[in-house]
Structure formats: structure tokens, C-alpha cells
Amino acid sequence: MRQKEKPVNSFKFELESRSINESLARSCIAALIAQLDPTVDELADIRTAVSEAVTNCIVHAYPDQLGKIYISAALYRGGRVVIRVKDKGCGISDVPRAMEPLFTTGNTEERSGLGFSVMQSMMDRIAVRSKPGGPTVVTLEKRLRLKGDADGSV
Ligand SMILES: Nc1ncnc2c1ncn2[C@@H]1O[C@H](COP(=O)(O)OP(=O)(O)OP(=O)(O)O)[C@@H](O)[C@H]1O
Ligand SMILES: [Mg+2]
């Protein structure tokens, strides 16, 4: 059996689903990723993707109450970054549909249904696991181009 690769650094934290915590989440993740010396563009892409995932928890998962958002980030050798954003909110009944560009169950004056598309374009891989009433887990993955002879060690 293939051994699970160990991250060179990782952290986990949880937040309440207050809108103010969206910027807190993206800043925490950016501080970790900064250890890999990313380009400005790479860091901006990751911040944007995290922001979309966390906003979805705040807006959709817990529409009428506060709930917990569980975030983890791991850095692997070679510059691979894996971020998980999880909530225990209302869940998604049809994940492929939810991921279609312009699909939204939100108020169309505020939401454009492009959050998942943005995450997809900013990251190399996105996986969404959910079911109605169950937890929703969004996994975001990106491989950074390491500068010079860096190997991703931190
Ligand atoms: N964590 C979540 N919990 C429950 N439903 C979700 C969650 N994340 C996304 N969804 C569902 O997936 C749909 C599409 O999400 P997406 O982020 O692509 O667009 P949006 O949030 O509706 O609009 P935008 O992100 O452009 O403001 C949402 O409208 C919502 O129905
Ligand atoms: Mg969204």
C-alpha cells in the first residue's frame, strides 16, 4: 500500500461563520503559504479561492445561524499545497449542478453563481464532497512553481 505523504508543514483552525472571518481565514492561509516563497500571483490565486470557499460556508451553509468552519492547510515537498474548507451546514443536494457556472441558490442581486468556477480557475484541482444535511468539504490543491533550487522544505 502506498504510504500517505507527510506534509512538511500544516495547520488546522476553526472559525465561526461571521462575515468578518472570511478575511481572517484567507490571511491565515496566506501566512502559511508564504513559507514556500510563492509568487504574488500564486498567493493572490490561493487567497481568492479560499475566500470563495469560506464565503460559501458563511452565506450558504449556515444561512440563518452561526456555525463552525473547519480549515486545514498542508504544504508538501515540491511545492504542493492542499487546503480543506469544511462546514457542517445544510449540505448540497446536487454537487455537479452546484459547480456549474452561474448556478446559484442565492439572491441573484448579490450572488452570481461563479464561486466554484473561480476556485477552479485559480487552483489546479478542486473536489467537493457533500450531501443534504451533511458536511460539505471543499478540497483545493495547487502546485507552486518553486523558485531556484528550493524543494519546498520550510
Ligand atoms: N458550503 C456550502 N453549503 C451549502 N451550499 C453550498 C455551499 N457552497 C456552495 N453551495 C451551493 O452551491 C451554489 C454555487 O456556489 P458558487 O460559489 O459557485 O456560487 P454562489 O455562492 O451562489 O455565488 P457567488 O459565489 O458568485 O457569489 C450556491 O448557490 C449554493 O447553492
Ligand atoms: Mg459562492
Side-chain angles (χ1 to χ4, degrees), residues 4-5 22 31 42-43 51-52 66 78 85 100 141:
K4 221 175 152 209
E5 189 187 349
E22 178 266 313
E42 286 170 336
L43 200 54
S51 169
E52 291 294 338
L66 287 179
V85 178
E100 281 171 16
E141 199 173 317

Side-chain angles (χ1 to χ4, degrees), residues 84-136:
R84 282 174 75 220
V85 178
K86 173 177 168 180
D87 65 68
K88 294 182 179 170
C90 63
I92 302 174
S93 54
D94 185 343
V95 171
R97 180 117 202 267
M99 292 179 77
E100 281 171 16
L102 303 176
F103 175 85
T104 184
T105 54
N107 170 347
T108 47
E109 275 167 28
E110 289 174 28
R111 313 256 68 97
S112 46
L114 287 173
F116 282 129
S117 307
V118 168
M119 288 181 241
Q120 246 149 2
S121 67
M122 302 287 159
M123 304 297 285
D124 295 333
R125 194 178 80 91
I126 156 174
V128 182
R129 202 155 40 86
S130 188
K131 59 179 178 207
T136 296

Side-chain angles (χ1 to χ4, degrees), residues 64-83:
D64 308 315
Q65 88 271 38
L66 287 179
K68 288 271 170 65
I69 305 173
Y70 307 84
I71 302 176
S72 71
L75 312 181
Y76 294 90
R77 214 162 286 285
R80 190 164 64 92
V81 176
V82 180
I83 298 160

Side-chain angles (χ1 to χ4, degrees), residues 15-22 54 57-59 61-63 65-69:
L15 300 164
E16 282 189 323
S17 59
R18 301 177 189 278
S19 3
I20 196 165
N21 284 340
E22 178 266 313
V54 171
C57 301
I58 296 168
V59 173
Y62 304 113
Q65 88 271 38
L66 287 179
K68 288 271 170 65
I69 305 173

Side-chain angles (χ1 to χ4, degrees), residues 9-69:
N9 201 6
S10 64
F11 77 153
K12 286 184 189 172
F13 57 102
E14 58 181 66
L15 300 164
E16 282 189 323
S17 59
R18 301 177 189 278
S19 3
I20 196 165
N21 284 340
E22 178 266 313
S23 61
L24 178 60
R26 88 179 119 85
S27 301
C28 290
I29 298 285
L32 179 75
I33 309 290
Q35 296 178 352
L36 289 179
D37 195 17
T39 64
V40 172
D41 286 348
E42 286 170 336
L43 200 54
D45 286 354
I46 292 173
R47 287 170 65 96
T48 303
V50 169
S51 169
E52 291 294 338
V54 171
T55 300
N56 278 352
C57 301
I58 296 168
V59 173
H60 302 295
Y62 304 113
D64 308 315
Q65 88 271 38
L66 287 179
K68 288 271 170 65
I69 305 173

